Amino acid sequence: MNKYSKIYKYNIGILLIAFIGTMIMLNIFIPSKKFSESENRVLEQLHRFSFEQLFNGKFTSNFEKYISDQFPLRDFWIGVKSNSERVIGKKENNDVYLGKDNYLMEKFNKYNKKDLKEKINAINSFAKNNPKLNKYFMLVPNSIKVLEEKLPKYAPHEEELEYIEEVKNLLDKDVEFIDVYNELKEHKDEYIYYKTDHHWTTKGAYYAYEKLCKSMGLKYHDNEYFYTEKVTDNFYGSLYSKGGFRNLEPDSINLYIPKKYEEVRVEYLDNKEKDDSLYKLENLKKKDKYTVFFGGNQPLIKVTTNTKNKKKLLLVKDSYANSLIPFLTGNYSEIYIVDLRYYNEDISKLIKDNKIKDIFILYNVKTFSEDSAISNIS
């Protein structure tokens, strides 16, 4: 080994030791973060040491998560990793694809047919127990299907339309299935899905609202009824957090505001909070700006409008519905909004107590396929 090789190895060793030392010092002196804005999640904290947890392996496992989550300059290194992988052509990370036009699209995984039948049986059982109720169900395809031409070449993904068709065939005929795939596909060149988030945009929700009203025999408001207000152009959504891809353009969020004033009262019945707006504009200062709609998912919300028709709607939903609900305030005097992931009361009692005649179930395909909360409807 010549002297230049020795000097090179010596310098590399010094740099490595300096790097490790610097990381250790930063770990000691930088306080632990409780929440990652870029990843939109709570970070692992240091657990109290105990011999019991040491011997059963929990302490070691938790400590590894803590070191990973609290690694100094974590967001910087995530960005470095993301950029490096993009340079070598990697287009998928953590079930999120980086597609054309910088669209992030979440993979739809293979579903369990037994699990699907259990969910549909719960809905059908509910339908039979409430024969006088008008029942409607909408299962919304995600961007990975509607915008599938934007997927990277050879990107493997399961078939969402097959899943939707199976749901449709298994549903009791007393539950009217509302298919919005064609409506969304017709507008695929418009801004109907966020690029960095898994939700549809307000415009996408509007096209579904049109189809819903036609199916339910309701009069819908055309675009001229609203003016569009862009409330932010700096929204980085859930797929930006999950996928780890960085250096992307943020999304914008638009609200459709009726030109004619519509009076509403919003009651968050779990915490007794009341509001005179459908929107939590203060949430635009937060990372998850989609929570501008009703502050995010809540167990039970009651919306009272100045519509005089005395019609009442129960909406059982996931977060896709949050941006669609404001369009319905001109059609119902009362709207009860339930998220079964957080609501544990008797749905049939809620319907009976409030003399509700219509129920609308709205889920996106991925949430419906992966979450079992809908089984609580029966």
PDB file of all heavy atoms in Angstrom, residues 164-177:
ATOM      1  N   ILE A 164     -64.959  -2.187  -7.685  1.00  0.00           N
ATOM      2  CA  ILE A 164     -66.208  -1.417  -7.711  1.00  0.00           C
ATOM      3  C   ILE A 164     -67.347  -2.267  -8.281  1.00  0.00           C
ATOM      4  O   ILE A 164     -68.459  -2.262  -7.756  1.00  0.00           O
ATOM      5  CB  ILE A 164     -66.028  -0.124  -8.528  1.00  0.00           C
ATOM      6  CG1 ILE A 164     -65.091   0.842  -7.794  1.00  0.00           C
ATOM      7  CG2 ILE A 164     -67.367   0.549  -8.798  1.00  0.00           C
ATOM      8  CD1 ILE A 164     -64.715   2.079  -8.589  1.00  0.00           C
ATOM      9  N   GLU A 165     -67.064  -2.989  -9.346  1.00  0.00           N
ATOM     10  CA  GLU A 165     -68.085  -3.826  -9.976  1.00  0.00           C
ATOM     11  C   GLU A 165     -68.543  -4.933  -9.032  1.00  0.00           C
ATOM     12  O   GLU A 165     -69.743  -5.260  -8.970  1.00  0.00           O
ATOM     13  CB  GLU A 165     -67.535  -4.429 -11.269  1.00  0.00           C
ATOM     14  CG  GLU A 165     -68.573  -5.121 -12.135  1.00  0.00           C
ATOM     15  CD  GLU A 165     -69.642  -4.162 -12.648  1.00  0.00           C
ATOM     16  OE1 GLU A 165     -69.369  -2.952 -12.784  1.00  0.00           O
ATOM     17  OE2 GLU A 165     -70.771  -4.637 -12.915  1.00  0.00           O
ATOM     18  N   GLU A 166     -67.608  -5.499  -8.274  1.00  0.00           N
ATOM     19  CA  GLU A 166     -67.976  -6.558  -7.332  1.00  0.00           C
ATOM     20  C   GLU A 166     -68.853  -6.001  -6.211  1.00  0.00           C
ATOM     21  O   GLU A 166     -69.816  -6.645  -5.791  1.00  0.00           O
ATOM     22  CB  GLU A 166     -66.722  -7.221  -6.759  1.00  0.00           C
ATOM     23  CG  GLU A 166     -67.036  -8.441  -5.926  1.00  0.00           C
ATOM     24  CD  GLU A 166     -65.884  -9.422  -5.831  1.00  0.00           C
ATOM     25  OE1 GLU A 166     -64.804  -9.128  -6.383  1.00  0.00           O
ATOM     26  OE2 GLU A 166     -66.066 -10.480  -5.212  1.00  0.00           O
ATOM     27  N   VAL A 167     -68.519  -4.816  -5.727  1.00  0.00           N
ATOM     28  CA  VAL A 167     -69.348  -4.166  -4.710  1.00  0.00           C
ATOM     29  C   VAL A 167     -70.761  -3.951  -5.251  1.00  0.00           C
ATOM     30  O   VAL A 167     -71.765  -4.244  -4.586  1.00  0.00           O
ATOM     31  CB  VAL A 167     -68.733  -2.816  -4.277  1.00  0.00           C
ATOM     32  CG1 VAL A 167     -69.729  -2.019  -3.432  1.00  0.00           C
ATOM     33  CG2 VAL A 167     -67.444  -3.039  -3.494  1.00  0.00           C
ATOM     34  N   LYS A 168     -70.836  -3.441  -6.461  1.00  0.00           N
ATOM     35  CA  LYS A 168     -72.125  -3.162  -7.098  1.00  0.00           C
ATOM     36  C   LYS A 168     -72.971  -4.425  -7.211  1.00  0.00           C
ATOM     37  O   LYS A 168     -74.184  -4.408  -6.956  1.00  0.00           O
ATOM     38  CB  LYS A 168     -71.868  -2.566  -8.490  1.00  0.00           C
ATOM     39  CG  LYS A 168     -73.109  -2.129  -9.233  1.00  0.00           C
ATOM     40  CD  LYS A 168     -72.712  -1.500 -10.567  1.00  0.00           C
ATOM     41  CE  LYS A 168     -73.929  -1.057 -11.369  1.00  0.00           C
ATOM     42  NZ  LYS A 168     -73.520  -0.440 -12.664  1.00  0.00           N
ATOM     43  N   ASN A 169     -72.361  -5.537  -7.578  1.00  0.00           N
ATOM     44  CA  ASN A 169     -73.091  -6.786  -7.759  1.00  0.00           C
ATOM     45  C   ASN A 169     -73.543  -7.402  -6.436  1.00  0.00           C
ATOM     46  O   ASN A 169     -74.568  -8.093  -6.378  1.00  0.00           O
ATOM     47  CB  ASN A 169     -72.226  -7.790  -8.522  1.00  0.00           C
ATOM     48  CG  ASN A 169     -71.993  -7.370  -9.965  1.00  0.00           C
ATOM     49  OD1 ASN A 169     -72.799  -6.648 -10.554  1.00  0.00           O
ATOM     50  ND2 ASN A 169     -70.887  -7.812 -10.552  1.00  0.00           N
ATOM     51  N   LEU A 170     -72.779  -7.170  -5.375  1.00  0.00           N
ATOM     52  CA  LEU A 170     -73.100  -7.758  -4.078  1.00  0.00           C
ATOM     53  C   LEU A 170     -74.134  -6.956  -3.300  1.00  0.00           C
ATOM     54  O   LEU A 170     -74.791  -7.482  -2.402  1.00  0.00           O
ATOM     55  CB  LEU A 170     -71.825  -7.898  -3.234  1.00  0.00           C
ATOM     56  CG  LEU A 170     -70.802  -8.943  -3.693  1.00  0.00           C
ATOM     57  CD1 LEU A 170     -69.516  -8.814  -2.885  1.00  0.00           C
ATOM     58  CD2 LEU A 170     -71.374 -10.349  -3.544  1.00  0.00           C
ATOM     59  N   LEU A 171     -74.290  -5.690  -3.630  1.00  0.00           N
ATOM     60  CA  LEU A 171     -75.217  -4.831  -2.897  1.00  0.00           C
ATOM     61  C   LEU A 171     -76.667  -5.235  -3.118  1.00  0.00           C
ATOM     62  O   LEU A 171     -77.053  -5.626  -4.222  1.00  0.00           O
ATOM     63  CB  LEU A 171     -75.047  -3.373  -3.325  1.00  0.00           C
ATOM     64  CG  LEU A 171     -74.006  -2.517  -2.609  1.00  0.00           C
ATOM     65  CD1 LEU A 171     -73.971  -1.124  -3.243  1.00  0.00           C
ATOM     66  CD2 LEU A 171     -74.283  -2.403  -1.118  1.00  0.00           C
ATOM     67  N   ASP A 172     -77.460  -5.126  -2.074  1.00  0.00           N
ATOM     68  CA  ASP A 172     -78.899  -5.340  -2.180  1.00  0.00           C
ATOM     69  C   ASP A 172     -79.491  -4.336  -3.174  1.00  0.00           C
ATOM     70  O   ASP A 172     -79.055  -3.179  -3.230  1.00  0.00           O
ATOM     71  CB  ASP A 172     -79.534  -5.157  -0.790  1.00  0.00           C
ATOM     72  CG  ASP A 172     -80.954  -5.664  -0.737  1.00  0.00           C
ATOM     73  OD1 ASP A 172     -81.834  -4.978  -1.308  1.00  0.00           O
ATOM     74  OD2 ASP A 172     -81.189  -6.705  -0.115  1.00  0.00           O
ATOM     75  N   LYS A 173     -80.479  -4.766  -3.945  1.00  0.00           N
ATOM     76  CA  LYS A 173     -81.075  -3.889  -4.957  1.00  0.00           C
ATOM     77  C   LYS A 173     -81.795  -2.690  -4.346  1.00  0.00           C
ATOM     78  O   LYS A 173     -82.094  -1.711  -5.044  1.00  0.00           O
ATOM     79  CB  LYS A 173     -82.049  -4.685  -5.829  1.00  0.00           C
ATOM     80  CG  LYS A 173     -81.406  -5.845  -6.583  1.00  0.00           C
ATOM     81  CD  LYS A 173     -80.210  -5.376  -7.423  1.00  0.00           C
ATOM     82  CE  LYS A 173     -79.544  -6.543  -8.126  1.00  0.00           C
ATOM     83  NZ  LYS A 173     -78.305  -6.121  -8.843  1.00  0.00           N
ATOM     84  N   ASP A 174     -82.058  -2.760  -3.040  1.00  0.00           N
ATOM     85  CA  ASP A 174     -82.697  -1.649  -2.354  1.00  0.00           C
ATOM     86  C   ASP A 174     -81.723  -0.497  -2.102  1.00  0.00           C
ATOM     87  O   ASP A 174     -82.140   0.593  -1.718  1.00  0.00           O
ATOM     88  CB  ASP A 174     -83.267  -2.146  -1.011  1.00  0.00           C
ATOM     89  CG  ASP A 174     -84.228  -1.149  -0.393  1.00  0.00           C
ATOM     90  OD1 ASP A 174     -84.925  -0.443  -1.144  1.00  0.00           O
ATOM     91  OD2 ASP A 174     -84.254  -1.049   0.851  1.00  0.00           O
ATOM     92  N   VAL A 175     -80.434  -0.766  -2.323  1.00  0.00           N
ATOM     93  CA  VAL A 175     -79.405   0.274  -2.171  1.00  0.00           C
ATOM     94  C   VAL A 175     -78.986   0.716  -3.571  1.00  0.00           C
ATOM     95  O   VAL A 175     -78.407  -0.066  -4.329  1.00  0.00           O
ATOM     96  CB  VAL A 175     -78.179  -0.253  -1.395  1.00  0.00           C
ATOM     97  CG1 VAL A 175     -77.143   0.870  -1.220  1.00  0.00           C
ATOM     98  CG2 VAL A 175     -78.587  -0.817  -0.045  1.00  0.00           C
ATOM     99  N   GLU A 176     -79.286   1.942  -3.940  1.00  0.00           N
ATOM    100  CA  GLU A 176     -78.948   2.419  -5.279  1.00  0.00           C
ATOM    101  C   GLU A 176     -77.458   2.752  -5.360  1.00  0.00           C
ATOM    102  O   GLU A 176     -76.971   3.622  -4.635  1.00  0.00           O
ATOM    103  CB  GLU A 176     -79.772   3.638  -5.661  1.00  0.00           C
ATOM    104  CG  GLU A 176     -79.492   4.103  -7.089  1.00  0.00           C
ATOM    105  CD  GLU A 176     -80.419   5.204  -7.560  1.00  0.00           C
ATOM    106  OE1 GLU A 176     -81.474   5.405  -6.940  1.00  0.00           O
ATOM    107  OE2 GLU A 176     -80.083   5.858  -8.574  1.00  0.00           O
ATOM    108  N   PHE A 177     -76.763   2.080  -6.259  1.00  0.00           N
ATOM    109  CA  PHE A 177     -75.328   2.317  -6.434  1.00  0.00           C
ATOM    110  C   PHE A 177     -75.114   3.435  -7.454  1.00  0.00           C
ATOM    111  O   PHE A 177     -75.668   3.392  -8.559  1.00  0.00           O
ATOM    112  CB  PHE A 177     -74.630   1.042  -6.905  1.00  0.00           C
ATOM    113  CG  PHE A 177     -73.133   1.167  -6.960  1.00  0.00           C
ATOM    114  CD1 PHE A 177     -72.363   0.966  -5.831  1.00  0.00           C
ATOM    115  CD2 PHE A 177     -72.492   1.518  -8.142  1.00  0.00           C
ATOM    116  CE1 PHE A 177     -70.988   1.087  -5.870  1.00  0.00           C
ATOM    117  CE2 PHE A 177     -71.114   1.648  -8.198  1.00  0.00           C
ATOM    118  CZ  PHE A 177     -70.356   1.439  -7.058  1.00  0.00           C
TER     119      PHE A 177
END
